[in-house]
């Protein structure tokens, strides 16, 4: 063992080899050095655990040449989402519209008027770029965009209810994921939770009886990621607004997913839209930019001017502020919504995917099967199944879809792993009934070629 360890080549020596010098023409030196260190270290570990492996300089060079491309890949890279989960939080939620991507490049390749009023030649505010659009789309008085909706919830509670009580229904004390739980956020924002009603039923009188001189806010949380069915009752937003008016208490709604279109047109269950909240007279509403809205990660706060002004002035707003890349993409996305619902469905990927006709998905699946059917040792079949919306939205909704079902000589979890561990473009599918399914709902037309290439590479 000692002898073998001693024979392991040194990084500097390998760098002097002609083949390795050749690699330096195509790869940065640091990548080659890192790759070499990694390969030698792995060999050292193998020797120490008693595995017999080649330790010559030649063997190291050979491994380096074969694997260098893997070491040059960035850590954060594109994957093909074949899970059928349209808003997959782990896969980056919403893909962006072409216009949004172009706006990012245009605005961030050079300088921009991010906080500069070119008319007046004076300092401006970054939020102004989207306020007018949001007014037109939703009918709000004023708007503020921040890092994400979790940040928005924190900021609203901290501004309007620090040291005071916030009334919430027990049926709405939800966890979004990670450590984002309404009672915990409330506490860290300095607000005091005043829970009312029961898990399945909360009445207007429950809210009314909880109002005291310490009450600062009535909060309604859209239970976006779970449903209570059966013997249930909750208070409509407009009744809470009426109650709030009576007592001079603002009403804030955390909508979760911000919808500018009614998703029932896609055959999905009813989800409240932002416009409806505004029409109900809510004082403040907040929602995510990258859920069903189909934009970038952001928290969008809309509402009455007097409240939004106060929220803007909260010092924590600076800590949660939106960056120029996000803002430019968000503005471009809102401008698409200004063109109308049909344009939004055609141009915003999340909406396009939800709206795509079943027939087209079947045709896509057939095309993929046709390209793959000659791969030895595997069978490919077009299969009708169900996709989900994901992203903590519409938890009970299921949408028909078509998949490519793969079975073969390995176990299905091994096939799933081979597809996922592609160095260039990983393909993430799902397993059902001992087969790997590639769901065409989330594989977009322009990705089909790449999908076929990746699957062929993985399975041949
Ligand atoms: C998703 C969600 C959030 C958190 O939004 P992010 O943009 O992911 O931070 C907060 N509240 C509700 C109701 C949600 O559905």
């Amino acid at each position: 063992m000692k002898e073998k360890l001693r024979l392991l080549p040194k990084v500097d020596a390998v760098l002097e080899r002609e083949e390795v010098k050749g690699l330096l023409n195509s790869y940065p030196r640091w990548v080659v050095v890192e790759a070499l260190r990694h390969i030698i270290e792995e060999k050292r570990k193998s020797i120490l655990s008693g595995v017999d492996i080649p330790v010559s300089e030649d063997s190291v060079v050979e491994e380096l040449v074969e694997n260098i491309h893997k070491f040059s890949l960035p850590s954060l890279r594109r994957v093909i989402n074949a899970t059928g989960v349209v808003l997959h939080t782990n896969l980056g939620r919403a893909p962006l519209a072409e216009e949004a991507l172009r706006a990012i490049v245009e605005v961030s390749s050079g300088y921009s008027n991010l906080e500069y009023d070119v008319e007046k030649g004076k300092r401006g505010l970054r939020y102004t770029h989207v306020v007018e659009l949001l007014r037109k789309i939703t009918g709000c008085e004023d708007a503020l965009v921040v890092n994400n909706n979790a940040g928005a919830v924190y900021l609203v509670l901290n501004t309007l209810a620090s040291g005071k009580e916030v009334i919430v229904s027990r049926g709405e004390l939800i966890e979004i994921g990670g450590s984002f739980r309404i009672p915990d956020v409330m506490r860290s924002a300095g607000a005091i939770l005043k829970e009312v009603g029961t898990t399945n039923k909360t009445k207007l009188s429950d809210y009314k009886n909880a109002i005291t001189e310490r009450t600062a806010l009535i909060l309604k949380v859209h239970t976006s990621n779970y449903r209570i069915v059966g013997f249930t009752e909750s208070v409509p937003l407009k009744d809470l607004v009426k109650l709030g008016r009576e007592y001079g208490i603002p009403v804030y709604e955390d909508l979760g997913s911000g919808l500018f279109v009614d998703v029932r047109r896609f055959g999905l269950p009813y989800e409240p839209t932002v416009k409806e909240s505004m029409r109900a007279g809510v004082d403040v509403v907040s929602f995510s930019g990258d859920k069903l809205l189909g934009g970038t990660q952001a928290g969008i706060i809309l509402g009455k001017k007097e409240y939004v002004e106060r929220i803007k002035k909260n010092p924590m707003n600076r800590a949660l502020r939106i960056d120029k890349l996000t803002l430019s993409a968000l503005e471009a996305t809102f401008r698409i919504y200004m063109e109308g619902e049909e344009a939004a469905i055609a141009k915003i990927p999340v909406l396009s995917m939800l709206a795509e006709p079943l027939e087209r998905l079947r045709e896509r699946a057939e095309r993929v099967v046709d390209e793959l059917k000659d791969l030895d040792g595997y069978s490919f079949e077009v299969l009708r199944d169900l996709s989900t919306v994901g992203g903590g939205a519409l938890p009970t909704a299921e949408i028909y879809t078509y998949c490519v079902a793969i079975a073969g000589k390995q176990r299905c979890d091994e096939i799933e792993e081979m597809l996922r561990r592609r160095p260039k473009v990983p393909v993430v599918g799902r397993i059902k009934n001992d087969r790997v399914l590639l769901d065409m709902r989330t594989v977009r037309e322009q990705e089909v070629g790449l999908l076929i290439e990746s699957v062929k590479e993985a399975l041949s």
Side-chain angles (χ1 to χ4, degrees):
M1 195 183 278
K2 260 193 181 148
E3 180 62 12
K4 280 220 147 186
L5 285 175
R6 206 180 53 76
L7 284 173
L8 271 177
K10 298 274 176 292
V11 171
D12 287 343
V14 185
L15 282 170
E16 289 305 313
R17 292 274 298 245
E18 281 312 309
E19 307 95 302
V20 178
K21 281 184 177 159
L23 287 180
L24 292 172
N25 294 327
S26 330
Y27 297 96
R29 187 181 166 85
W30 73 268
V31 169
V32 177
V33 171
E34 281 300 312
L36 268 176
R37 287 214 177 103
H38 180 84
I39 290 167
I40 294 168
E41 180 56 23
E42 285 303 304
K43 283 190 181 288
R44 205 179 65 83
K45 279 190 202 147
S46 297
I47 296 166
L48 287 173
S49 60
V51 186
D52 188 32
I53 43 132
V55 294
S56 65
E57 204 173 280
D58 281 349
S59 73
V60 170
V61 172
E62 200 176 302
E63 238 175 83
L64 177 69
V65 171
E66 201 168 301
N67 295 305
I68 183 73
H69 67 283
K70 286 186 207 163
F71 289 97
S72 72
L73 289 170
S75 170
L76 179 60
R77 54 191 202 270
R78 76 177 293 174
V79 307
I80 293 179
N81 174 10
T83 63
V85 182
V86 177
L87 292 169
H88 200 302
T89 298
N90 301 145
L91 302 183
R93 284 194 188 157
L96 297 181
E98 285 292 331
E99 279 92 332
L101 297 172
R102 279 204 296 274
I104 292 176
V105 173
E106 174 74 17
V107 167
S108 48
S109 304
Y111 295 98
S112 65
N113 64 341
L114 181 65
E115 290 189 345
Y116 186 70
D117 186 332
V118 285
E119 298 293 321
K120 298 189 180 123
K122 283 200 305 210
R123 182 170 200 268
L125 285 172
R126 63 180 63 210
Y127 315 107
T128 55
H129 302 290
V130 291
V131 171
E132 203 44 50
L133 291 170
L134 285 167
R135 271 193 200 122
K136 291 204 167 96
I137 297 168
T138 68
C140 68
E141 277 183 19
D142 201 0
L144 170 66
V145 282
V146 295
N147 180 61
N148 62 356
N149 191 34
V153 174
Y154 173 87
L155 204 55
V156 174
L157 293 175
N158 183 254
T159 310
L160 303 181
S162 181
K164 304 232 181 73
E165 287 179 2
V166 179
I167 305 175
V168 196
S169 160
R170 288 200 165 88
E172 297 173 4
L173 296 174
I174 57 170
E175 173 177 315
I176 311 301
S179 56
F180 191 87
R181 292 173 158 187
I182 293 293
D184 299 341
V185 177
M186 189 87 74
R187 200 173 313 114
S188 65
I192 300 153
L193 173 65
K194 186 82 190 167
E195 37 185 294
V196 297
T198 61
T199 303
N200 58 330
K201 281 204 172 210
T202 303
K203 301 179 170 70
L204 187 62
S205 55
D206 295 323
Y207 287 92
K208 192 168 175 168
N209 294 336
I211 294 174
T212 67
E213 70 280 4
R214 292 182 302 275
T215 309
L217 195 66
I218 296 172
L219 168 64
K220 187 167 179 65
V221 183
H222 181 51
T223 54
S224 45
N225 58 5
Y226 86 115
R227 285 281 177 277
I228 298 182
V229 294
F231 189 58
T232 67
E233 186 177 338
S234 63
V235 183
L237 183 63
K238 68 172 186 4
D239 295 351
L240 289 182
V241 168
K242 200 159 154 251
L243 181 71
R245 294 277 151 77
E246 220 173 285
Y247 288 86
I249 297 165
V251 176
Y252 163 42
E253 185 182 34
D254 171 13
L255 255 183
S257 206
L259 267 174
F260 290 167
V261 300
D262 186 341
V263 290
R264 280 176 295 191
R265 62 174 292 168
F266 309 133
L268 291 168
Y270 170 73
E271 267 286 293
T273 64
V274 176
K275 218 173 189 163
E276 284 167 329
S277 297
M278 296 319 308
R279 230 182 272 138
V282 75
D283 295 289
V284 181
V285 64
S286 75
F287 50 91
S288 295
D290 58 352
K291 289 185 179 172
L292 285 163
L293 196 72
T296 43
Q297 177 191 305
I300 298 152
I301 303 170
L302 310 178
K304 302 270 153 60
K305 205 170 181 59
E306 58 170 307
Y307 300 115
V308 178
E309 277 300 331
R310 279 171 58 194
I311 297 165
K312 277 182 200 167
K313 290 194 185 107
N314 187 322
M316 279 306 287
N317 182 18
R318 172 62 184 247
L320 293 165
R321 82 176 179 184
I322 196 162
D323 77 298
K324 63 185 177 185
L325 277 69
T326 305
L327 192 59
S328 58
L330 212 50
E331 182 185 357
T333 307
F334 294 155
R335 291 175 77 91
I336 295 174
Y337 278 106
M338 286 296 290
E339 290 176 47
E341 211 162 295
E342 299 314 315
I345 291 166
K347 293 178 175 182
I348 295 173
V350 165
L351 300 181
S352 313
M353 284 186 238
L354 290 173
E356 191 152 36
L358 209 47
E359 217 19 65
R360 282 241 297 277
L361 301 179
R362 186 168 72 185
E363 183 273 323
R364 189 175 299 150
E366 282 166 354
R367 215 166 350 119
V368 174
V369 168
D370 214 48
E371 287 283 335
L372 296 174
K373 64 177 189 295
D374 295 331
L375 276 179
D376 259 355
Y378 298 94
S379 71
F380 301 92
E381 202 190 328
V382 175
L383 187 77
R384 188 167 140 123
D385 202 56
L386 293 161
S387 313
T388 48
V389 174
L394 293 154
T396 55
E398 291 177 311
I399 333 159
Y400 279 110
T401 188
Y402 277 96
C403 301
V404 173
I406 311 175
K409 47 195 174 195
Q410 295 94 343
R411 290 200 322 263
C412 62
D413 57 316
E414 289 171 331
I415 298 174
E416 185 271 338
E417 185 181 340
M418 291 194 296
L419 293 171
R420 175 163 43 82
R421 298 188 63 176
R422 288 296 80 216
K424 212 169 88 197
V425 185
V427 175
V428 187
R430 64 170 189 267
I431 291 175
K432 190 176 176 183
N433 298 334
D434 283 329
R435 286 198 285 186
V436 177
L437 303 190
L438 304 179
D439 191 323
M440 294 299 119
R441 172 80 55 195
T442 49
V443 176
R444 295 160 70 208
E445 198 48 50
Q446 61 266 41
E447 293 176 313
V448 172
L450 205 54
L451 173 76
I452 291 165
E453 191 186 317
S454 278
V455 176
K456 277 186 180 165
E457 198 183 80
L459 302 184
S460 48

